[in-house]
Amino acid sequence: MSRYSIIEVSDICIRAYEDGRQVYAEPGVALLPPNASPVLGQQAQQVIRQQPTRIHSRFWSDLSTTPLSITQTGVRHGADLAWYQLARIKESITNNEVVFCLSSHLSNAQMQLLAGICESLELKANYFLNAGLSQLAHREKLPESIAHLDLQLHQLVLSRYAHRDGLLELVSQEAVPGISYLQLIGRMVHALRDQFIHVSRFDPLHSGDTEQQLFDQVAGLVGSSRLKPVEIKTSNQTYQVEPTPKDFAH
């Protein structure tokens, strides 16, 4: 058995591994119902378009103790939500000694906050590894200059690495505005909305339920190697379009 569990923090999907096996995989999304415990991961993402005012999805990218703007919830700040998700992960692993793979944009203060969260959960954070470095470390024939793109829910983190004499070094990192996973999903949703209106005059964004159906299927398309028909069901009818790469060219 490996001495360490590994937790990879990328808010599109927080993953935990033990002995080479993935034991946890959930997005860093939280639903904050009034006066109830938060709902995390896929369950929260499944209502992201139905209950947008009670969704919080920046608690990993902006890890902090800044108070949340969502009211009537027992959760004080984003660090509390990170605590809840790490508590879920702790239930999935048998080894409480952990190695974290983290994005380049996290500051020393944020890593110290993460270490404190782990301590409160009796998780021992042995190492914080740079995610880009850990992904590149075992690759052969690396060029001298490398750009690493980390697409997250609300930003794209661009990290630049130098490779000299067998050593990898993080040279710089920046968050690129205007490009993110949720923005990509949103653009694809609107492209398909236009297609639904053109084919049947049906607008799936007029209802939270049908908008959520469209969101879920677009998220599936992003994670798939091929396009497939998109189907929206209402109480009395089913609508379908067959997207092509041309529909998403813009």
Side-chain angles (χ1 to χ4, degrees), residues 66-141:
T66 301
L68 297 181
S69 59
I70 300 174
T71 59
Q72 293 181 307
T73 174
V75 177
R76 299 165 299 172
H77 40 60
D80 279 348
L81 291 172
W83 185 95
Y84 274 102
Q85 191 151 36
L86 285 175
R88 288 274 189 88
I89 291 174
K90 185 181 178 182
E91 294 174 358
S92 303
I93 60 179
T94 58
N95 190 345
N96 288 345
E97 296 206 25
V98 176
V99 172
F100 281 89
C101 289
L102 302 174
S103 174
S104 300
H105 81 282
L106 290 176
S107 66
N108 287 336
Q110 287 174 310
M111 287 187 279
Q112 289 172 1
L113 177 57
L114 178 56
I117 295 170
C118 289
E119 186 175 353
S120 72
L121 287 166
E122 297 184 351
L123 284 172
K124 185 177 180 181
N126 285 270
Y127 301 102
F128 288 157
L129 301 182
N130 179 279
L133 285 175
S134 66
Q135 291 167 13
L136 294 168
H138 298 293
R139 297 199 178 192
E140 297 180 357
K141 298 180 180 179

Side-chain angles (χ1 to χ4, degrees), residues 2-178:
S2 173
R3 180 181 173 185
Y4 303 116
S5 300
I6 298 173
I7 299 176
E8 184 180 280
V9 179
S10 178
D11 56 12
I12 291 177
C13 190
I14 313 296
R15 293 183 171 90
Y17 300 89
E18 201 163 55
D19 293 324
R21 295 179 300 108
Q22 180 175 283
V23 295
Y24 181 93
E26 292 281 353
V29 179
L31 169 68
L32 302 178
N35 305 314
S37 298
V39 177
L40 292 165
Q42 191 64 34
Q43 280 185 286
Q45 187 164 291
Q46 287 172 349
V47 294
I48 197 170
R49 294 301 182 101
Q50 293 171 313
Q51 302 186 52
T53 60
R54 304 212 68 86
I55 290 288
H56 188 64
S57 56
R58 295 180 182 270
F59 57 95
W60 284 111
S61 61
D62 300 342
L63 184 62
S64 74
T65 55
T66 301
L68 297 181
S69 59
I70 300 174
T71 59
Q72 293 181 307
T73 174
V75 177
R76 299 165 299 172
H77 40 60
D80 279 348
L81 291 172
W83 185 95
Y84 274 102
Q85 191 151 36
L86 285 175
R88 288 274 189 88
I89 291 174
K90 185 181 178 182
E91 294 174 358
S92 303
I93 60 179
T94 58
N95 190 345
N96 288 345
E97 296 206 25
V98 176
V99 172
F100 281 89
C101 289
L102 302 174
S103 174
S104 300
H105 81 282
L106 290 176
S107 66
N108 287 336
Q110 287 174 310
M111 287 187 279
Q112 289 172 1
L113 177 57
L114 178 56
I117 295 170
C118 289
E119 186 175 353
S120 72
L121 287 166
E122 297 184 351
L123 284 172
K124 185 177 180 181
N126 285 270
Y127 301 102
F128 288 157
L129 301 182
N130 179 279
L133 285 175
S134 66
Q135 291 167 13
L136 294 168
H138 298 293
R139 297 199 178 192
E140 297 180 357
K141 298 180 180 179
L142 289 172
E144 290 186 357
S145 180
I146 305 159
H148 179 271
L149 301 177
D150 179 12
L151 185 66
Q152 301 178 9
L153 288 176
H154 294 282
Q155 63 185 359
L156 176 73
V157 177
L158 168 61
S159 303
R160 298 190 183 277
Y161 299 91
H163 179 231
R164 299 185 186 92
D165 301 323
L167 296 177
L168 273 169
E169 179 186 3
L170 175 63
V171 177
S172 66
Q173 66 82 23
E174 62 179 307
V176 182

Side-chain angles (χ1 to χ4, degrees), residues 144-216:
E144 290 186 357
S145 180
I146 305 159
H148 179 271
L149 301 177
D150 179 12
L151 185 66
Q152 301 178 9
L153 288 176
H154 294 282
Q155 63 185 359
L156 176 73
V157 177
L158 168 61
S159 303
R160 298 190 183 277
Y161 299 91
H163 179 231
R164 299 185 186 92
D165 301 323
L167 296 177
L168 273 169
E169 179 186 3
L170 175 63
V171 177
S172 66
Q173 66 82 23
E174 62 179 307
V176 182
I179 304 174
S180 73
Y181 177 78
L182 288 179
Q183 284 175 313
L184 172 65
I185 296 289
R187 291 180 182 184
M188 293 177 72
V189 161
H190 280 84
L192 287 176
R193 173 205 195 189
D194 293 343
Q195 193 173 352
F196 272 108
I197 291 173
H198 176 73
V199 170
S200 61
R201 296 186 180 180
F202 168 67
D203 184 353
L205 302 192
H206 272 181
S207 160
D209 290 340
T210 55
E211 184 176 350
Q212 185 67 50
Q213 288 183 52
L214 186 53
F215 177 94
D216 292 341

